[in-house]
Short mmCIF file of all heavy atoms in Angstrom, two decimals:
data_model
loop_
_atom_site.label_atom_id
_atom_site.label_comp_id
_atom_site.label_asym_id
_atom_site.label_seq_id
_atom_site.Cartn_x
_atom_site.Cartn_y
_atom_site.Cartn_z
N GLY Q 156 -8.95 6.63 -25.66
CA GLY Q 156 -10.02 6.21 -24.77
C GLY Q 156 -10.88 7.36 -24.32
O GLY Q 156 -10.56 8.53 -24.52
N PRO Q 157 -12.03 7.04 -23.68
CA PRO Q 157 -13.05 8.05 -23.36
C PRO Q 157 -12.89 8.72 -22.00
O PRO Q 157 -13.87 9.20 -21.44
CB PRO Q 157 -14.33 7.22 -23.41
CG PRO Q 157 -13.91 5.87 -22.90
CD PRO Q 157 -12.50 5.68 -23.38
N ASP Q 158 -11.68 8.76 -21.44
CA ASP Q 158 -11.52 9.28 -20.07
C ASP Q 158 -11.81 10.78 -19.97
O ASP Q 158 -12.22 11.25 -18.91
CB ASP Q 158 -10.08 9.03 -19.58
CG ASP Q 158 -9.81 7.55 -19.34
OD1 ASP Q 158 -10.79 6.82 -19.10
OD2 ASP Q 158 -8.65 7.15 -19.42
N PHE Q 159 -11.57 11.55 -21.05
CA PHE Q 159 -11.67 13.00 -20.97
C PHE Q 159 -12.53 13.56 -22.10
O PHE Q 159 -12.56 13.04 -23.20
CB PHE Q 159 -10.27 13.64 -21.03
CG PHE Q 159 -9.33 13.16 -19.95
CD1 PHE Q 159 -8.40 12.17 -20.22
CD2 PHE Q 159 -9.41 13.69 -18.69
CE1 PHE Q 159 -7.55 11.72 -19.23
CE2 PHE Q 159 -8.55 13.25 -17.69
CZ PHE Q 159 -7.63 12.26 -17.96
N THR Q 160 -13.21 14.66 -21.76
CA THR Q 160 -14.01 15.37 -22.77
C THR Q 160 -13.42 16.72 -23.12
O THR Q 160 -13.87 17.35 -24.08
CB THR Q 160 -15.45 15.58 -22.26
OG1 THR Q 160 -15.41 16.34 -21.04
CG2 THR Q 160 -16.13 14.24 -21.98
N ASP Q 161 -12.42 17.18 -22.37
CA ASP Q 161 -11.80 18.48 -22.64
C ASP Q 161 -10.33 18.38 -22.30
O ASP Q 161 -9.88 18.75 -21.21
CB ASP Q 161 -12.47 19.59 -21.83
CG ASP Q 161 -11.94 20.98 -22.19
OD1 ASP Q 161 -11.14 21.08 -23.14
OD2 ASP Q 161 -12.33 21.95 -21.52
N ILE Q 162 -9.54 17.88 -23.26
CA ILE Q 162 -8.13 17.61 -22.96
C ILE Q 162 -7.29 18.89 -22.93
O ILE Q 162 -6.13 18.85 -22.49
CB ILE Q 162 -7.53 16.65 -24.00
CG1 ILE Q 162 -7.62 17.23 -25.42
CG2 ILE Q 162 -8.20 15.30 -23.92
CD1 ILE Q 162 -6.85 16.43 -26.45
N PHE Q 163 -7.83 20.02 -23.38
CA PHE Q 163 -7.04 21.25 -23.43
C PHE Q 163 -7.32 22.19 -22.28
O PHE Q 163 -6.81 23.31 -22.27
CB PHE Q 163 -7.30 21.97 -24.75
CG PHE Q 163 -6.88 21.19 -25.96
CD1 PHE Q 163 -7.76 20.98 -27.00
CD2 PHE Q 163 -5.62 20.64 -26.04
CE1 PHE Q 163 -7.38 20.26 -28.11
CE2 PHE Q 163 -5.22 19.91 -27.13
CZ PHE Q 163 -6.10 19.71 -28.18
N SER Q 164 -8.11 21.77 -21.32
CA SER Q 164 -8.38 22.64 -20.17
C SER Q 164 -7.08 22.90 -19.42
O SER Q 164 -6.31 21.97 -19.11
CB SER Q 164 -9.40 21.98 -19.23
OG SER Q 164 -9.52 22.74 -18.05
N GLY Q 165 -6.85 24.16 -19.06
CA GLY Q 165 -5.66 24.52 -18.31
C GLY Q 165 -5.90 24.63 -16.81
O GLY Q 165 -5.01 25.05 -16.06
N TYR Q 166 -7.12 24.30 -16.37
CA TYR Q 166 -7.47 24.40 -14.94
C TYR Q 166 -7.60 22.99 -14.39
O TYR Q 166 -8.58 22.28 -14.66
CB TYR Q 166 -8.80 25.15 -14.81
CG TYR Q 166 -9.01 25.83 -13.46
CD1 TYR Q 166 -8.05 25.86 -12.48
CD2 TYR Q 166 -10.23 26.46 -13.21
CE1 TYR Q 166 -8.25 26.49 -11.28
CE2 TYR Q 166 -10.47 27.10 -12.00
CZ TYR Q 166 -9.48 27.12 -11.04
OH TYR Q 166 -9.69 27.76 -9.83
N ARG Q 167 -6.63 22.58 -13.59
CA ARG Q 167 -6.58 21.20 -13.11
C ARG Q 167 -6.03 21.15 -11.68
O ARG Q 167 -5.28 22.02 -11.27
CB ARG Q 167 -5.68 20.34 -14.01
CG ARG Q 167 -6.10 20.35 -15.48
CD ARG Q 167 -5.23 19.42 -16.32
NE ARG Q 167 -5.60 19.52 -17.73
CZ ARG Q 167 -5.64 18.51 -18.58
NH1 ARG Q 167 -5.31 17.30 -18.16
NH2 ARG Q 167 -5.98 18.68 -19.84
N ALA Q 168 -6.42 20.10 -11.00
CA ALA Q 168 -5.86 19.79 -9.68
C ALA Q 168 -5.18 18.43 -9.75
O ALA Q 168 -5.69 17.51 -10.41
CB ALA Q 168 -6.95 19.78 -8.61
N PHE Q 169 -4.01 18.31 -9.12
CA PHE Q 169 -3.23 17.08 -9.18
C PHE Q 169 -2.84 16.62 -7.78
O PHE Q 169 -2.63 17.43 -6.87
CB PHE Q 169 -1.92 17.28 -9.96
CG PHE Q 169 -2.08 17.85 -11.33
CD1 PHE Q 169 -1.91 19.21 -11.55
CD2 PHE Q 169 -2.37 17.03 -12.41
CE1 PHE Q 169 -2.04 19.74 -12.82
CE2 PHE Q 169 -2.49 17.56 -13.68
CZ PHE Q 169 -2.34 18.91 -13.89
N SER Q 170 -2.67 15.32 -7.66
CA SER Q 170 -2.05 14.77 -6.47
C SER Q 170 -0.53 14.80 -6.64
O SER Q 170 -0.01 14.95 -7.76
CB SER Q 170 -2.50 13.32 -6.25
OG SER Q 170 -1.96 12.48 -7.25
N ARG Q 171 0.18 14.64 -5.56
CA ARG Q 171 1.64 14.57 -5.63
C ARG Q 171 2.07 13.37 -6.47
O ARG Q 171 3.04 13.43 -7.22
CB ARG Q 171 2.21 14.46 -4.21
CG ARG Q 171 3.72 14.21 -4.18
CD ARG Q 171 4.22 14.06 -2.75
NE ARG Q 171 5.59 13.57 -2.75
CZ ARG Q 171 6.65 14.33 -2.98
NH1 ARG Q 171 6.48 15.62 -3.20
NH2 ARG Q 171 7.85 13.83 -2.97
N ARG Q 172 1.34 12.27 -6.36
CA ARG Q 172 1.71 11.07 -7.10
C ARG Q 172 1.68 11.31 -8.60
O ARG Q 172 2.51 10.80 -9.33
CB ARG Q 172 0.78 9.90 -6.72
CG ARG Q 172 0.95 9.43 -5.30
CD ARG Q 172 0.46 8.02 -5.09
NE ARG Q 172 -0.97 7.87 -5.37
CZ ARG Q 172 -1.65 6.75 -5.20
NH1 ARG Q 172 -1.03 5.68 -4.73
NH2 ARG Q 172 -2.93 6.68 -5.46
#
Side-chain angles (χ1 to χ4, degrees):
D158 291 335
F159 302 99
T160 59
D161 186 6
I162 60 171
F163 297 128
S164 173
Y166 204 5
R167 304 183 184 218
F169 306 97
S170 69
R171 173 182 169 80
R172 292 202 299 183

